[in-house]
Amino acid sequence: MRISVLTVCWNSAATIRHTVDSFFAQDHQDKELVVVDGGSSDETLTIVRSYPQDQIQLVSEPDRGMYDALNKGLRLYTGDAVGVLNSDDCFHDQTVLTRISAELEQADIVHGDLDFVENHFNKRVIRRWRAAPRPAKGFRTGWMPAHPTFYVRRKVAETVGTFDLSLKVASDYDWMLRAVELHGFGSATTNHVLVDMMVGGASTRSLGSYIGHNFEALRSRRQWLRSGPIDYALVAKPMRKLGQFFGINSAGTAKQSRHGVR
């Protein structure tokens, strides 16, 4: 199975080498990296071009933000399956794409565990997201997968379509909701850490962005699930995060986490 990994970036020279290194370290050989750059003025493009280009597609041009860039990636990728690796995140180890490929032989969608780390040098874990299978009412209960671990077969991506550019920080949530709730695709959960994500993603870098994400997510549920002006998930979704902060010790380990994007 050929797996395509979409990485969107803009002036990401400080972190993107870790991202691309983790892609080339994967023991799954049938893979491609699609890098969609927003017109970087730093060394981002020089870094990406320093790697073997036979497994990289690179496009660099102005865009309207991360979701516009992801939509370009969805038009470009050539694989049987696709997912996203942010330009300041890394695959957790070299087996990630092999595990994803194995799960997608039996399911249309796979998602897994994610560690939120301070940086990619010390790998100190700040929080941990532990994946769970979809409950009976899915997104209505506050459940959601971690988007950086969310990989789908091509037929899923083609059915769901593009990211909604009217959503500024929760279009990934909306895309996953449509994939899981509207079209009946089967999903698998792997209890393995797939991604090390640096703190500070677009939906979590401040209290304002976190609140904005939750109300955009409510807007998505109202559109697709016919939720009311206020629904159970608006409270349950943040409450599910509380346990993610417990169990951190002096060595930096934790028991749970959440996701973000570029």
Side-chain angles (χ1 to χ4, degrees):
M1 176 179 290
R2 182 169 178 80
I3 300 180
S4 297
V5 179
L6 309 184
T7 295
V8 300
C9 57
W10 181 71
N11 289 343
S12 302
T15 58
I16 198 167
R17 191 177 298 278
H18 296 287
T19 306
V20 182
D21 280 345
S22 75
F23 169 81
F24 277 98
Q26 293 300 296
D27 58 16
H28 185 81
Q29 296 303 306
D30 197 3
K31 60 183 183 288
E32 73 167 345
L33 181 65
V34 181
V35 179
V36 185
D37 176 76
S40 291
S41 58
D42 65 359
E43 295 300 308
T44 298
L45 297 177
T46 300
I47 292 170
V48 174
R49 288 171 176 147
S50 71
Y51 289 85
Q53 297 297 292
D54 59 329
Q55 291 184 318
I56 296 180
Q57 285 197 66
L58 172 62
V59 58
S60 180
E61 60 188 21
D63 57 46
R64 290 179 288 168
M66 58 190 171
Y67 297 123
D68 184 35
L70 285 174
N71 284 340
K72 292 180 183 181
L74 288 176
R75 293 192 292 269
L76 290 170
Y77 84 94
T78 65
D80 305 301
V82 64
V84 175
L85 184 65
N86 302 314
S87 62
D88 52 0
D89 301 340
C90 296
F91 289 122
H92 182 71
D93 60 38
Q94 66 184 16
T95 70
V96 170
L97 292 185
T98 295
R99 292 173 184 272
I100 288 170
S101 177
E103 294 289 352
L104 289 176
E105 294 293 341
Q106 307 297 324
D108 300 315
I109 298 169
V110 64
H111 63 98
D113 297 346
L114 178 147
D115 281 353
F116 233 147
V117 300
E118 184 177 58
N119 58 61
H120 297 301
F121 294 101
N122 64 28
K123 292 291 187 182
R124 187 172 74 87
V125 176
I126 306 301
R127 297 156 63 189
R128 285 183 177 161
W129 176 302
R130 289 299 170 260
R134 178 188 178 277
K137 294 186 178 181
F139 279 71
R140 292 176 176 86
T141 69
W143 172 88
M144 62 178 288
H147 186 238
T149 75
F150 193 81
Y151 280 72
V152 303
R153 283 183 162 272
R154 175 175 284 274
K155 65 181 180 181
V156 178
E158 291 176 346
T159 301
V160 176
T162 57
F163 288 86
D164 183 347
L165 301 189
S166 72
L167 297 170
K168 304 306 180 185
V169 291
S171 193
D172 50 345
Y173 175 95
D174 175 79
W175 201 93
M176 292 188 295
L177 183 151
R178 285 184 279 147
V180 172
E181 302 291 354
L182 299 186
H183 301 292
F185 290 112
S187 63
T189 304
T190 178
N191 297 122
H192 182 83
V193 178
L194 301 181
V195 173
D196 294 337
M197 180 177 180
M198 277 186 59
V199 293
S203 62
T204 58
R205 66 168 58 103
S206 68
L207 178 61
S209 62
Y210 183 74
I211 292 172
H213 182 277
N214 278 286
F215 278 96
E216 282 194 356
L218 172 62
R219 173 182 152 188
S220 177
R221 293 191 300 275
R222 292 181 66 185
Q223 178 177 0
W224 301 114
L225 304 181
R226 301 182 184 275
S227 297
I230 301 295
D231 68 355
Y232 174 76
L234 184 65
V235 175
K237 184 170 171 286
M239 290 297 290
R240 281 176 173 265
K241 306 296 185 294
L242 292 179
Q244 299 169 5
F245 294 94
F246 300 147
I248 298 177
N249 62 28
S250 59
T253 58
K255 292 183 179 177
Q256 312 233 24
S257 182
R258 82 155 258 106
H259 81 290
V261 285
R262 168 179 146 203

